[in-house]
Amino acid sequence: MSVHEMNYSEKYSDTKFEYRHVTIPKDLVKRMPKRLMTEDEWRRLGVQQSRGWEHYMIHSPEPQILCFRRNLNYTQQNQ
């Protein structure tokens, strides 16, 4: 995986949220804070996705996998 290559999962959902995960190149992990990131922080890493996504969980065994969620009805709520 090149330094600018990201792998975006398909979206999946439960009754409250839609989710997706983004796999970033391992060499970018050292630039990540040791906490959940704000939208500005994950965008600076090069993650590109629509508004409303929240970095909600750190996957400790594989820190290069960023876990995101947003309210299931986000697009309807913000139109």
Side-chain angles (χ1 to χ4, degrees):
M1 190 179 299
S2 75
V3 92
H4 298 292
E5 193 174 324
M6 308 271 175
N7 184 3
Y8 296 82
S9 74
E10 294 294 322
K11 297 173 191 170
Y12 46 100
S13 62
D14 60 18
T15 57
K16 188 171 181 177
F17 294 103
E18 67 178 329
Y19 302 90
R20 80 169 341 159
H21 59 273
V22 178
T23 304
I24 64 169
K26 288 184 180 182
D27 59 327
L28 288 181
V29 172
K30 61 183 172 244
R31 294 178 39 198
M32 291 173 37
K34 303 290 186 215
R35 57 172 168 69
L36 296 175
M37 290 184 282
T38 66
E39 182 173 344
D40 285 339
E41 290 171 325
W42 53 258
R43 286 191 186 280
R44 277 194 298 258
L45 285 177
V47 176
Q48 297 179 357
Q49 53 187 351
S50 56
R51 300 274 180 210
W53 291 98
E54 167 192 26
H55 181 218
Y56 78 99
M57 184 176 76
I58 296 173
H59 185 59
S60 296
E62 298 176 293
Q64 75 275 14
I65 298 176
L66 307 180
C67 301
F68 293 95
R69 71 178 179 191
R70 72 176 172 186
N71 286 331
L72 193 56
N73 297 319
Y74 178 80
T75 53
Q76 288 93 4
Q77 294 170 355
N78 294 295
Q79 289 184 354

